[in-house]
């Protein structure tokens, strides 16, 4: 399958220079690569929340579900449990997943359900024009905080590590090679995988230069070591002026929720029968 087969005719309305383009191009590249390796686009379902990021599902010619703000994760969990053969990828904003839908993210990580979550972390609410989000820095001057945010940001990767996520990584919209590698790894990981993408919003929070001066790729880091992952994640707290590590922080093999739920094809048949029985009684 060629890259153009994943294109859609929907006009793209993102601002020129928006970091969302890197995420879009990265995911298309990975879907194309996987398609050559016997994992066709029909095996995938994409979901998004509401926000500028949400439009991504309109721009990739793969089955998708445009969900509501903060609720793409539970819908993804439902899809995975109903059809465990599918590969399910959620695109979410920082306001979407780290704010309104945070409890869903925590419990999906805790369950280790086999889905991939890609966060377009531009560190503000973009579509609604410039409000601060859970990852905005202290003092962030936006539409709802004209005198500067009084809250320190959340470190979402630290929270996800504590919530038992089994794959945690960070990339930026400036580094396509790394981003594509992380997307591919996260999709192939068995269990809950989250990639936090520092996605630059050129219009409201242009951090291209800020990141360019600070990011570096982790080297000699053992992602199987919980303490090392914790230390690397804590190096930058989304506020300090320190260097910003990128790459895979943590990776662990563990049984997944869907695996535990459906231990055999016979189980699946039995469960399917029960669902049908339940539905027929309701109709
Ligand atoms: C349940 C619900 N709450 C609030 C909104 C309003 N709303 C739409 S998009 C948005 C913010 C989006 O910010 P983010 O998730 O960071 O995505 P971005 O636009 O930055 O990609 C909000 C608050 C909504 N549509 N639905
Ligand atoms: S407002 Fe920001 S996030 Fe939204 S499309 Fe424009 S640059 Fe991208």
């Amino acid at each position: 399958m060629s890259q153009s087969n994943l294109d859609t005719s929907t006009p793209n309305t993102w601002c020129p220079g928006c970091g969302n383009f890197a995420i879009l191009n990265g995911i298309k590249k990975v879907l194309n690569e996987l398609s050559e390796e016997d994992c066709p686009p029909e095996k995938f379902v994409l979901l998004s929340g509401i926000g500028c990021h949400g439009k991504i599902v309109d721009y990739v010619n793969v089955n998708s579900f445009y969900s509501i703000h903060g609720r793409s994760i539970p819908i993804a969990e439902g899809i995975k449990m109903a059809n465990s053969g599918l590969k399910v990828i959620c695109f979410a904003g920082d306001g979407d997943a780290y704010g309104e839908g945070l409890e869903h993210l925590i419990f999906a990580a805790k369950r280790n359900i086999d889905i991939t979550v890609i966060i377009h972390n531009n560190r503000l609410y973009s579509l609604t024009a410039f409000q601060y989000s859970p990852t905005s820095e202290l003092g962030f001057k936006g539409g709802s905080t004209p005198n500067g945010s009084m809250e320190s940001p959340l470190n979402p990767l630290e929270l996800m590590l504590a919530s038992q996520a089994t794959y945690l990584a960070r990339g930026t919209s400036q580094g396509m090679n790394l981003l594509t590698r992380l997307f591919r790894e996260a999709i192939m990981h068995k269990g809950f995988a989250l990639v936090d993408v520092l996605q630059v919003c050129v219009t409201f929070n242009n951090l291209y230069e800020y990141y360019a001066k600070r990011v570096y790729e982790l080297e000699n880091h053992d992602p199987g070591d919980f303490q090392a992952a914790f230390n690397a994640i804590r190096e930058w707290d989304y506020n300090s002026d320190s260097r910003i590590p990128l790459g895979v922080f943590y990776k662990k093999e563990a049984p997944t929720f869907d695996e535990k739920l459906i231990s055999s094809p016979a189980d699946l048949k039995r469960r399917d029968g029960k669902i049908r029985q339940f539905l027929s009684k309701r109709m």
Side-chain angles (χ1 to χ4, degrees):
M1 159 160 296
S2 71
Q3 180 109 2
S4 62
N5 286 351
L6 290 178
D7 291 344
T8 66
S9 55
T10 312
N12 192 306
T13 56
W14 288 330
C15 311
C18 173
N20 282 331
F21 285 102
I23 298 177
L24 174 65
N25 293 333
I27 203 69
K28 278 186 179 170
K29 187 163 189 279
V30 173
L31 291 178
N32 271 304
E33 281 172 14
L34 292 175
S35 161
E36 305 286 326
E37 296 164 29
D38 243 13
C39 191
E42 303 82 68
K43 276 220 145 208
F44 286 86
V45 181
L46 311 183
L47 294 102
S48 72
I50 303 293
C52 291
H53 72 276
K55 299 175 190 168
I56 194 165
V57 297
D58 287 338
Y59 306 147
V60 189
N61 194 12
V62 168
N63 286 322
S64 62
F65 193 100
Y66 209 143
S67 87
I68 52 174
H69 195 48
R71 304 298 183 267
S72 56
I73 307 280
I75 295 165
E77 291 184 272
I79 291 173
K80 185 68 188 178
M81 285 193 278
N83 189 344
S84 58
L86 290 172
K87 289 203 165 287
V88 182
I89 308 176
C90 267
F91 297 92
D94 46 310
D96 193 41
Y98 298 153
E100 193 146 337
L102 182 62
E103 78 280 20
H104 296 301
L105 197 64
I106 292 172
F107 284 98
K110 177 176 172 287
R111 288 180 190 124
N112 195 31
I113 189 154
D114 186 16
I115 61 171
T116 302
V117 180
I118 295 173
I119 308 287
H120 300 228
N121 188 358
N122 50 29
R123 306 174 61 201
L124 83 160
Y125 286 27
S126 300
L127 188 74
T128 42
F130 204 22
Q131 296 86 23
Y132 81 117
S133 87
T135 50
S136 302
E137 77 272 14
L138 184 67
F140 174 82
K141 287 192 177 164
S144 58
T145 51
N147 297 322
S149 159
M150 294 184 291
E151 299 172 31
S152 292
L154 187 74
N155 183 335
L157 292 173
E158 191 179 339
L159 182 67
M160 284 294 95
L161 187 68
S163 308
Q164 305 172 44
T166 53
Y167 181 96
L168 289 172
R170 186 195 285 133
T172 71
S173 50
Q174 284 139 292
M176 274 300 288
N177 286 345
L178 175 67
L179 204 57
T180 323
R181 180 157 63 78
L182 297 179
F183 286 172
R184 189 190 166 95
E185 251 190 61
I187 291 167
M188 299 318 285
H189 174 73
K190 191 169 70 70
F192 180 88
L194 182 137
V195 184
D196 183 61
V197 184
L198 299 175
Q199 171 253 317
V200 173
C201 167
V202 274
T203 302
F204 295 121
N205 198 19
N206 190 343
L207 296 173
Y208 276 123
E209 236 178 87
Y210 178 88
Y211 290 142
K213 282 189 196 145
R214 288 167 181 80
V215 295
Y216 76 97
E217 229 179 292
L218 284 167
E219 271 178 40
N220 304 319
H221 169 74
D222 175 7
D225 181 337
F226 184 93
Q227 190 59 47
F230 181 73
N231 294 344
I233 284 172
R234 296 264 294 194
E235 184 176 350
W236 181 58
D237 63 3
Y238 291 72
N239 198 46
S240 57
D241 237 355
S242 61
R243 295 203 306 159
I244 303 174
L246 303 178
V248 183
F249 292 97
Y250 189 61
K251 189 173 177 168
K252 180 189 167 180
E253 272 189 38
T256 67
F257 187 78
D258 33 305
E259 238 172 24
K260 287 190 229 168
L261 191 73
I262 305 156
S263 50
S264 67
D267 256 13
L268 188 61
K269 217 171 155 192
R270 215 173 12 250
R271 213 170 52 98
D272 192 38
K274 277 191 182 158
I275 292 172
R276 277 171 207 278
Q277 218 179 4
F278 173 76
L279 290 176
S280 66
K281 276 188 199 150
R282 304 226 131 202
M283 297 217 188

